[in-house]
Amino acid sequence: QVQLVEYGGGSVQAGGSLSLSCVASRYSFSNGCMAWFRQASGKEREGVAALGSDGGASYADSVKGRFTISTDNAGKTLYLQMNSLKPEDTAMYYCAADPRLWVGLGPWYIYWGQGTQVTVSS
């Protein structure tokens, strides 16, 4: 079965950077849409960034200009580069994938990882 595993979470001070990775097993990111979501304690899960197989990307307003979503050429790893981090970026971050061409920032993805925690201190 398809498995997505996130790496790279941790603790950082405000203004710092972190890079998250999501490695796929039995799935290629090259053939559909992929995304990063996050869920802060007591809040609903929200879409952060989405990337289509044609290279088109969409970002939540709260992260535009600070976060970048990308994938490797082999289509096996999804990345989220996070710069200028803020305390409000603290959350569990999840990667998601779907074979449809475009799903966007909504929660309708078929495949989900287990999440990695990001904590930003002020």
Side-chain angles (χ1 to χ4, degrees), residues 35-102:
W36 287 95
F37 287 75
R38 67 186 180 188
Q39 187 167 18
S41 180
K43 295 187 177 181
E44 292 187 355
R45 188 174 298 188
E46 63 170 347
V48 173
L51 181 65
S53 57
D54 63 352
S58 181
Y59 295 91
D61 289 343
S62 58
V63 307
K64 280 181 182 176
R66 300 190 297 122
F67 290 12
T68 303
I69 186 172
S70 64
T71 185
D72 66 348
N73 291 334
K76 301 305 289 184
T77 305
L78 179 68
Y79 302 100
L80 184 68
Q81 178 64 41
M82 305 185 293
N83 299 326
S84 302
L85 283 162
K86 305 175 181 180
E88 51 263 44
D89 294 318
T90 295
M92 185 72 78
Y93 282 72
Y94 301 87
C95 69
D98 194 289
R100 288 173 288 181
L101 291 178
W102 183 251

Side-chain angles (χ1 to χ4, degrees), residues 3-7 20-24 29 34-38 45 49 69 78-80 92-97 109-116:
Q3 187 175 25
L4 305 179
V5 180
E6 300 94 339
Y7 300 93
L20 304 183
S21 302
C22 174
V23 178
F29 291 119
M34 60 222 84
W36 287 95
F37 287 75
R38 67 186 180 188
R45 188 174 298 188
I69 186 172
L78 179 68
Y79 302 100
L80 184 68
M92 185 72 78
Y93 282 72
Y94 301 87
C95 69
Y109 287 78
I110 291 178
Y111 304 115
W112 292 85
Q114 293 301 305
T116 185

